[in-house]
Amino acid sequence: MASTLNAAVSLTSSKSSSFPATSCAIAPERIRFGKGAFNYKSNSVVTSRRVVSVRAEVTTDAPPVKKVEKESKKNEEGVITNKYRPKEPYTGKVLLNTKITADDAPGETWHMVFSHAGEIPYREGQSVGVIADGVDKNGKPNKVRLYSIASSALGDLGNSETVSLCVKRLVYTNDAGEVVKGVCSNFLCDLKPGSDVKLTGPVGKEMLMPKDPNATVIMLATGTGIAPFRYFLWKMFLEKHDDYKFNGLAWLFLGVPTTSSLLYTEEFDKMKAKAPENFRVNYAISREQANNKGEKMYIQTRMVQYAPELWELLKKDNTFVYMCGLKGMEKGIDDIMVSLAANDGIDWFDYKKQLKKAEQWNVEVY
């Protein structure tokens, strides 16, 4: 459980929406969201649209945690799935919605926080569904779209009553030269604080966070695939829990096209400063960086620079790999591992099957 805090949260906006005060558990760090900021020292979230004020005092520290024996995360007791389904969704409210990519980035990505009043008790690694308002081209209600949750089980406000998403606005030109907008992503990115949003879930067990606090957790993400890893890292480094204190190694590889597309970097900088021996982060910026051969720096290109070290980690039974984002990166990562495994006389694809069976290789790509 989280350490004891006394807190009050008040939300105001130019749209005159209001929400009740609630309890909150958060770490005293300053987190920035694009043009807005979550400032734990001054106890507020400030954006162009609204202010979230938080008053909190941590009263306990997490005690040392004994090594946890390896057990299936998918059989973890208390993991809830499909509490809310498309025919009977939960209606939450938008508390915060702010763009977190720079204006010159190739595309917009938004961070959004929804209230759920504790009715969607998710775990780190799960997803929620969103049903956009309106109907499709056939006049039927829009179908549910799943999004990886981008907040820990405590949520961004620390009270277990909110859920956050990281969503890229989908806009593209089809073969006929027509501009096409993704229904659900544009619906979400355009939501205003105080608006209602229909949520389903939670769903999924593939990406559940390992329970072992001494594990090595390697996270491979492209773009908004960072979402599940943000909540891993919040639990590891920004929150205080009586029953969990991370003492292992968290190693994040994040691939994006431009520096202006990087997500949550100020949060990661805080984590790195707080736990330099436990957190490593490497970026692959494909349109701006290249390796010594002149090849674009994709996530697999960056990983090659650390390939021997990564392979040695993969030989350990407490190393867990998580991959989330564009499906194309999976083949590139396999290509790296094939040659590394072959050096030890191991067939990579057979070995990967063993890792998957042991829940040490977890993939959620699209």
Side-chain angles (χ1 to χ4, degrees):
M1 303 298 290
S3 58
T4 304
L5 286 95
N6 296 317
V9 179
S10 61
L11 299 97
T12 60
S13 80
S14 57
K15 297 295 184 181
S16 299
S17 59
S18 62
F19 303 88
T22 182
S23 297
C24 176
I26 53 177
E29 300 288 346
R30 181 176 181 275
I31 308 302
R32 179 175 294 278
F33 298 119
K35 296 180 180 178
F38 203 141
N39 192 324
Y40 289 115
K41 292 183 179 178
S42 62
N43 304 319
S44 64
V45 174
V46 182
T47 73
S48 58
R49 294 192 180 91
R50 62 195 290 102
V51 175
V52 179
S53 296
V54 181
R55 301 188 304 277
E57 181 181 357
V58 180
T59 57
T60 62
D61 291 323
V65 180
K66 296 180 180 179
K67 185 175 180 179
V68 178
E69 292 185 5
K70 189 174 179 181
E71 57 183 299
S72 173
K73 56 188 174 65
K74 295 181 182 179
N75 294 329
E76 185 178 344
E77 185 178 354
V79 177
I80 295 172
T81 59
N82 295 308
K83 180 178 179 181
Y84 291 95
R85 298 177 180 272
K87 291 185 178 180
E88 295 182 346
Y90 175 84
T91 300
K93 282 197 177 293
V94 182
L95 302 184
L96 174 73
N97 196 10
T98 186
K99 190 175 71 158
I100 56 174
T101 46
D103 291 340
D104 61 342
E108 298 178 6
T109 299
W110 292 67
H111 181 87
M112 51 203 69
V113 182
F114 307 135
S115 67
H116 63 72
E119 291 298 319
I120 305 179
Y122 60 87
R123 295 289 182 89
E124 293 83 4
Q126 292 191 288
S127 300
V128 292
V130 177
I131 304 174
D133 291 348
V135 295
D136 62 20
K137 61 183 179 181
N138 298 315
K140 296 183 179 180
N142 286 313
K143 293 182 179 179
V144 65
R145 292 290 184 267
L146 292 177
Y147 292 89
S148 295
I149 297 170
S151 51
S152 73
L154 293 179
D156 282 4
L157 298 186
N159 58 4
S160 301
E161 295 185 358
T162 67
V163 60
S164 301
L165 300 182
C166 176
V167 178
K168 182 174 182 178
R169 186 189 295 273
L170 177 60
V171 180
Y172 66 95
T173 302
N174 64 16
D175 294 337
E178 302 168 323
V179 176
V180 180
K181 295 183 176 181
V183 173
C184 200
S185 70
N186 280 271
F187 165 75
L188 285 169
C189 293
D190 290 337
L191 283 173
K192 307 299 182 186
S195 301
D196 289 342
V197 59
K198 295 189 285 290
L199 304 171
T200 66
V203 298
K205 293 185 177 182
E206 173 70 19
M207 298 290 284
L208 287 177
M209 186 175 176
K211 298 177 70 176
D212 182 0
N214 301 303
T216 293
V217 184
I218 299 171
M219 298 158 282
L220 314 175
T222 57
T224 55
I226 192 62
F229 308 136
R230 178 181 185 260
Y231 54 63
F232 280 20
L233 296 167
W234 266 57
K235 183 172 183 179
M236 290 172 175
F237 301 117
L238 295 184
E239 298 173 348
K240 295 183 184 295
H241 297 262
D242 290 338
D243 58 355
Y244 179 86
K245 185 179 186 305
F246 185 69
N247 297 305
L249 172 64
W251 193 350
L252 170 66
F253 290 87
L254 173 60
V256 294
T258 64
T259 300
S260 56
S261 304
L262 286 169
L263 306 171
Y264 306 115
T265 53
E266 290 197 19
E267 294 186 13
F268 302 149
D269 289 345
K270 297 289 184 183
M271 296 169 187
K272 180 65 177 175
K274 188 175 182 179
E277 300 301 318
N278 302 95
F279 181 45
R280 296 172 66 175
V281 57
N282 292 96
Y283 300 119
I285 306 175
S286 60
R287 298 184 190 177
E288 300 174 9
Q289 299 175 335
N291 64 8
N292 54 13
K293 297 180 181 179
E295 299 168 330
K296 287 187 175 181
M297 189 62 71
Y298 295 111
I299 189 169
Q300 61 268 26
T301 318
R302 180 66 74 195
M303 291 174 65
V304 166
Q305 298 176 343
Y306 304 92
E309 185 178 1
L310 289 168
W311 176 241
E312 288 304 313
L313 289 173
L314 275 176
K315 295 178 183 179
K316 299 180 179 180
D317 63 4
N318 70 334
T319 294
F320 297 80
V321 176
Y322 291 82
M323 186 186 310
C324 187
L326 297 175
K327 190 173 183 178
M329 70 172 170
E330 191 171 9
K331 181 182 182 303
I333 292 169
D334 278 338
D335 290 343
I336 298 170
M337 296 302 174
V338 165
S339 58
L340 290 170
N343 290 336
D344 283 348
I346 297 173
D347 181 282
W348 164 245
F349 293 101
D350 287 341
Y351 190 65
K352 186 167 75 167
K353 288 178 183 178
Q354 297 175 33
L355 292 175
K356 285 185 174 181
K357 186 175 181 181
E359 299 178 358
Q360 291 178 251
W361 191 268
N362 307 274
V363 178
E364 187 173 86
V365 293
Y366 40 82

